[in-house]
Amino acid sequence: MSAAPRSGMRVPLAALVAALTILVVVALITPGTGDDADPSSRSAGRAGTLALYSWLGADGLGLPVHRISGAFELDGTDLLVVAEPTVGFTDAEVGTVAAFLRGGGELLLAVDGPAVPIAQHLLDRVDVGVAHAVAAGDALPVQPLDPGGRVTKVAVGDGVAFDTPAPTVPLLERDGAVVLVGTAVGAGRAYVLGSPYPLSNIGLEPRHGDAGALVLALLERSRGGRVGFDEVHHGEGSSGGAGAVLSGPVGAAGLLGGLVLLALLGVNGRRLGRPVPAGDPARVPSAEEFVTAMARLHERSSRLGGVAERYAAELKERVGAAAGVEPALDDEVFVDRLRGFGDARAGAVEAALSRARTLAAGRPGDDALLALAREVDAAERAFGPAASGTMPP
């Protein structure tokens, strides 16, 4: 009998495996920009700035480093790093950078030929003009960049050179072409680098020059050490960020896999839990089954005090019915009304009620409840068959 369900699973299961296989193959053969072309601080590829982000942060210098994504807000940032933006700046965003600089913030903007049109609006705002293209090679300081003279040469990739009209200050040059400039904007400064290569994972390696020392020199000139990496202009807007991976093949694979799995469960009648034992739903449970079920329910909920409370209510109902006393009365008044039937009887009821109330306020065990049940039964029997619930002999 068990072979039929297993065979019924084969078609949906095979569909799931086939769908995931096809999607993985499509993801592998689909051309894309590739990790090596991603300049963001999340990328470990050649063009990424993850190494710089990690080195400045907890894995290196221990500076407070953060990523700016979603809304383009610069609160809590002293040095803004914009490495090879791939998304243009809006008027409002350029205004945000300008206000940031006027307030004393520092900007490190790195662009190459393809990134210049994207960053043009921001370049115009900081009054930096592009002169011409520059080939890859070593750039040398035009003037000392740090007191220790640590920056002697910096490797740059194919990029651009800048015009240097006053008050623009040339800082690095390659074959007479200026590839790093600094300019004052309000109380802050903007540094514009004509090649993102020195900030990249590959360019930051010591064998390629003093790129790390260059970054440190610029940090030392800034007002503080809180470094923000701009990921908004790498596409991490309100719908981007790390969750953007869900829009690619990985996210599609997960969605398709979930749908096929739901179909598999539906076709085979599978439940996400233990099956209920077969039984007759129309059958009325016996008194023993009911009591057992209630006991298990109270045991699982760890509230056995309710059982003692129920014993007290039952005692007052049955004795009250036999003695003609209203069971809704307060315990003290109820017992006082029973004095007419003898102090011994009333005292037994009073003792049973007191014990029941005490147990109800705590977490009684099985032994305490059993003793209470016997005491209640004895008190009920003292008031005759109407109270005990037994037939007269």
Side-chain angles (χ1 to χ4, degrees):
M1 296 298 293
S2 60
R6 290 196 187 99
S7 62
M9 292 177 61
R10 291 175 183 171
V11 173
L13 191 57
L16 172 61
V17 173
L20 293 178
T21 302
I22 292 173
L23 195 60
V24 169
V25 171
V26 170
L28 291 176
I29 66 176
T30 299
T33 58
D35 191 55
D36 279 344
D38 181 4
S40 77
S41 64
R42 302 188 192 277
S43 171
R46 295 174 64 86
T49 51
L50 177 60
L52 179 60
Y53 182 92
S54 302
W55 176 58
L56 293 176
D59 296 336
L61 302 179
L63 297 175
V65 181
H66 61 280
R67 294 183 175 94
I68 301 168
S69 59
F72 188 61
E73 297 175 351
L74 304 183
D75 294 340
T77 302
D78 296 319
L79 174 64
L80 173 63
V81 178
V82 184
E84 195 177 2
T86 57
V87 176
F89 287 77
T90 66
D91 291 341
E93 290 168 345
V94 170
T96 298
V97 176
F100 166 74
L101 292 171
R102 287 195 301 269
E106 307 283 330
L107 168 67
L108 174 55
L109 170 63
V111 295
D112 56 9
V116 167
I118 298 171
Q120 189 63 60
H121 196 9
L122 182 58
L123 290 170
D124 292 342
R125 184 62 186 80
V126 297
D127 294 325
V128 173
V130 175
H132 53 78
V134 173
D138 289 335
L140 306 178
V142 177
Q143 56 181 298
L145 294 176
D146 63 303
R150 294 167 296 177
V151 183
T152 58
K153 67 175 183 178
V154 178
V156 296
D158 292 337
V160 295
F162 304 106
D163 295 324
T164 56
T168 303
V169 178
L171 298 174
L172 283 179
E173 65 177 19
R174 161 77 176 142
D175 289 340
V178 177
V179 294
L180 173 64
V181 296
T183 181
V185 181
R189 292 185 66 86
Y191 301 99
V192 185
L193 183 60
S195 168
Y197 185 82
L199 306 183
S200 68
N201 295 327
I202 187 68
L204 198 63
E205 295 180 3
R207 61 190 177 93
H208 292 146
D210 304 321
L214 172 65
V215 174
L216 288 179
L218 298 181
L219 269 173
E220 289 171 356
R221 297 182 177 209
S222 66
R223 63 180 179 180
R226 298 177 297 179
V227 183
F229 281 69
D230 176 17
E231 299 302 337
V232 172
H233 298 97
H234 290 147
E236 290 191 11
S238 57
S239 61
V245 68
L246 297 178
S247 63
V250 175
L255 178 61
L256 182 59
L259 292 176
V260 176
L261 179 60
L262 287 176
L264 174 64
L265 294 173
V267 168
N268 291 276
R270 299 287 173 178
R271 297 181 178 87
L272 300 178
R274 187 178 301 173
V276 179
D280 182 5
R283 186 178 69 83
V284 178
S286 65
E288 180 181 359
E289 291 173 334
F290 176 77
V291 172
T292 301
M294 288 299 297
R296 288 177 179 172
L297 178 61
H298 284 294
E299 182 179 6
R300 289 175 61 187
S301 64
S302 299
R303 296 181 60 184
L304 296 180
V307 176
E309 190 71 33
R310 180 56 192 162
Y311 276 139
E314 177 187 302
L315 174 61
K316 293 179 71 174
E317 289 171 0
R318 291 186 175 179
V319 171
V325 178
E326 176 59 45
L329 294 173
D330 180 80
D331 287 358
E332 184 177 353
V333 177
F334 182 83
V335 171
D336 187 66
R337 297 284 178 88
L338 296 179
R339 299 293 181 189
F341 295 88
D343 289 339
R345 290 181 176 182
V349 172
E350 183 179 22
L353 285 175
S354 177
R355 179 186 295 271
R357 301 306 184 193
T358 300
L359 294 178
R363 293 181 177 270
D366 294 339
D367 292 341
L369 290 175
L370 180 59
L372 174 64
R374 290 171 178 168
E375 188 174 351
V376 168
D377 184 69
E380 291 175 352
R381 287 180 180 277
F383 278 83
S388 65
T390 59
M391 295 298 292

mmCIF file of all heavy atoms in Angstrom, residues 181-199:
data_model
loop_
_atom_site.group_PDB
_atom_site.id
_atom_site.type_symbol
_atom_site.label_atom_id
_atom_site.label_comp_id
_atom_site.label_asym_id
_atom_site.label_seq_id
_atom_site.Cartn_x
_atom_site.Cartn_y
_atom_site.Cartn_z
ATOM 1 N N VAL A 181 43.467 66.075 -7.557
ATOM 2 C CA VAL A 181 43.395 67.480 -7.177
ATOM 3 C C VAL A 181 42.610 67.606 -5.883
ATOM 4 O O VAL A 181 41.818 66.735 -5.515
ATOM 5 C CB VAL A 181 42.716 68.337 -8.272
ATOM 6 C CG1 VAL A 181 43.549 68.333 -9.540
ATOM 7 C CG2 VAL A 181 41.296 67.856 -8.542
ATOM 8 N N GLY A 182 42.845 68.719 -5.195
ATOM 9 C CA GLY A 182 42.075 69.072 -4.014
ATOM 10 C C GLY A 182 41.538 70.465 -4.166
ATOM 11 O O GLY A 182 42.195 71.342 -4.744
ATOM 12 N N THR A 183 40.322 70.677 -3.663
ATOM 13 C CA THR A 183 39.721 72.000 -3.769
ATOM 14 C C THR A 183 38.854 72.250 -2.549
ATOM 15 O O THR A 183 38.185 71.338 -2.044
ATOM 16 C CB THR A 183 38.882 72.145 -5.059
ATOM 17 O OG1 THR A 183 38.332 73.463 -5.125
ATOM 18 C CG2 THR A 183 37.770 71.127 -5.102
ATOM 19 N N ALA A 184 38.888 73.474 -2.035
ATOM 20 C CA ALA A 184 38.101 73.823 -0.855
ATOM 21 C C ALA A 184 36.673 74.148 -1.272
ATOM 22 O O ALA A 184 36.439 74.836 -2.267
ATOM 23 C CB ALA A 184 38.727 75.022 -0.144
ATOM 24 N N VAL A 185 35.708 73.625 -0.498
ATOM 25 C CA VAL A 185 34.294 73.942 -0.689
ATOM 26 C C VAL A 185 33.735 74.283 0.688
ATOM 27 O O VAL A 185 33.502 73.397 1.513
ATOM 28 C CB VAL A 185 33.522 72.764 -1.299
ATOM 29 C CG1 VAL A 185 32.055 73.146 -1.496
ATOM 30 C CG2 VAL A 185 34.148 72.312 -2.602
ATOM 31 N N GLY A 186 33.556 75.563 0.960
ATOM 32 C CA GLY A 186 33.124 75.968 2.284
ATOM 33 C C GLY A 186 34.195 75.621 3.301
ATOM 34 O O GLY A 186 35.380 75.893 3.116
ATOM 35 N N ALA A 187 33.794 74.973 4.390
ATOM 36 C CA ALA A 187 34.736 74.560 5.428
ATOM 37 C C ALA A 187 35.352 73.195 5.141
ATOM 38 O O ALA A 187 36.221 72.745 5.884
ATOM 39 C CB ALA A 187 34.031 74.527 6.780
ATOM 40 N N GLY A 188 34.904 72.515 4.074
ATOM 41 C CA GLY A 188 35.402 71.189 3.742
ATOM 42 C C GLY A 188 36.259 71.189 2.499
ATOM 43 O O GLY A 188 36.532 72.239 1.908
ATOM 44 N N ARG A 189 36.681 69.989 2.095
ATOM 45 C CA ARG A 189 37.513 69.852 0.909
ATOM 46 C C ARG A 189 37.027 68.665 0.094
ATOM 47 O O ARG A 189 36.527 67.672 0.622
ATOM 48 C CB ARG A 189 38.990 69.642 1.276
ATOM 49 C CG ARG A 189 39.652 70.844 1.907
ATOM 50 C CD ARG A 189 41.131 70.609 2.140
ATOM 51 N NE ARG A 189 41.857 70.470 0.884
ATOM 52 C CZ ARG A 189 42.340 71.501 0.170
ATOM 53 N NH1 ARG A 189 42.144 72.742 0.567
ATOM 54 N NH2 ARG A 189 43.019 71.287 -0.939
ATOM 55 N N ALA A 190 37.214 68.800 -1.223
ATOM 56 C CA ALA A 190 36.905 67.717 -2.150
ATOM 57 C C ALA A 190 38.203 67.268 -2.809
ATOM 58 O O ALA A 190 38.962 68.093 -3.321
ATOM 59 C CB ALA A 190 35.903 68.180 -3.201
ATOM 60 N N TYR A 191 38.473 65.986 -2.788
ATOM 61 C CA TYR A 191 39.618 65.385 -3.480
ATOM 62 C C TYR A 191 39.076 64.552 -4.626
ATOM 63 O O TYR A 191 38.218 63.680 -4.409
ATOM 64 C CB TYR A 191 40.432 64.512 -2.529
ATOM 65 C CG TYR A 191 40.980 65.262 -1.339
ATOM 66 C CD1 TYR A 191 40.333 65.196 -0.096
ATOM 67 C CD2 TYR A 191 42.124 66.034 -1.449
ATOM 68 C CE1 TYR A 191 40.832 65.885 0.991
ATOM 69 C CE2 TYR A 191 42.629 66.727 -0.354
ATOM 70 C CZ TYR A 191 41.968 66.653 0.866
ATOM 71 O OH TYR A 191 42.451 67.344 1.945
ATOM 72 N N VAL A 192 39.568 64.829 -5.835
ATOM 73 C CA VAL A 192 39.076 64.125 -7.018
ATOM 74 C C VAL A 192 40.239 63.393 -7.659
ATOM 75 O O VAL A 192 41.258 63.999 -8.022
ATOM 76 C CB VAL A 192 38.418 65.097 -8.023
ATOM 77 C CG1 VAL A 192 37.811 64.307 -9.182
ATOM 78 C CG2 VAL A 192 37.341 65.929 -7.329
ATOM 79 N N LEU A 193 40.077 62.097 -7.799
ATOM 80 C CA LEU A 193 41.113 61.220 -8.336
ATOM 81 C C LEU A 193 40.706 60.767 -9.735
ATOM 82 O O LEU A 193 39.567 60.328 -9.939
ATOM 83 C CB LEU A 193 41.285 60.010 -7.399
ATOM 84 C CG LEU A 193 42.355 58.973 -7.686
ATOM 85 C CD1 LEU A 193 43.753 59.611 -7.692
ATOM 86 C CD2 LEU A 193 42.285 57.865 -6.640
ATOM 87 N N GLY A 194 41.618 60.883 -10.695
ATOM 88 C CA GLY A 194 41.279 60.586 -12.085
ATOM 89 C C GLY A 194 41.350 59.111 -12.440
ATOM 90 O O GLY A 194 41.358 58.770 -13.628
ATOM 91 N N SER A 195 41.399 58.223 -11.455
ATOM 92 C CA SER A 195 41.410 56.780 -11.677
ATOM 93 C C SER A 195 40.929 56.091 -10.412
ATOM 94 O O SER A 195 41.480 56.338 -9.329
ATOM 95 C CB SER A 195 42.820 56.290 -12.024
ATOM 96 O OG SER A 195 42.880 54.873 -11.972
ATOM 97 N N PRO A 196 39.922 55.214 -10.491
ATOM 98 C CA PRO A 196 39.469 54.479 -9.302
ATOM 99 C C PRO A 196 40.441 53.380 -8.896
ATOM 100 O O PRO A 196 40.283 52.788 -7.831
ATOM 101 C CB PRO A 196 38.123 53.872 -9.749
ATOM 102 C CG PRO A 196 37.772 54.551 -11.027
ATOM 103 C CD PRO A 196 39.058 54.963 -11.665
ATOM 104 N N TYR A 197 41.455 53.117 -9.721
ATOM 105 C CA TYR A 197 42.348 51.987 -9.494
ATOM 106 C C TYR A 197 43.013 51.992 -8.109
ATOM 107 O O TYR A 197 43.066 50.946 -7.446
ATOM 108 C CB TYR A 197 43.416 51.956 -10.590
ATOM 109 C CG TYR A 197 44.338 50.749 -10.526
ATOM 110 C CD1 TYR A 197 43.946 49.518 -11.059
ATOM 111 C CD2 TYR A 197 45.590 50.844 -9.934
ATOM 112 C CE1 TYR A 197 44.780 48.415 -11.001
ATOM 113 C CE2 TYR A 197 46.441 49.744 -9.867
ATOM 114 C CZ TYR A 197 46.025 48.532 -10.399
ATOM 115 O OH TYR A 197 46.856 47.430 -10.329
ATOM 116 N N PRO A 198 43.518 53.129 -7.603
ATOM 117 C CA PRO A 198 44.183 53.096 -6.289
ATOM 118 C C PRO A 198 43.265 52.684 -5.138
ATOM 119 O O PRO A 198 43.743 52.248 -4.095
ATOM 120 C CB PRO A 198 44.683 54.533 -6.105
ATOM 121 C CG PRO A 198 44.807 55.066 -7.492
ATOM 122 C CD PRO A 198 43.668 54.450 -8.238
ATOM 123 N N LEU A 199 41.953 52.849 -5.312
ATOM 124 C CA LEU A 199 41.009 52.495 -4.249
ATOM 125 C C LEU A 199 40.483 51.066 -4.384
ATOM 126 O O LEU A 199 39.796 50.575 -3.490
ATOM 127 C CB LEU A 199 39.820 53.466 -4.243
ATOM 128 C CG LEU A 199 40.148 54.957 -4.170
ATOM 129 C CD1 LEU A 199 38.864 55.766 -4.086
ATOM 130 C CD2 LEU A 199 41.058 55.261 -2.988
#
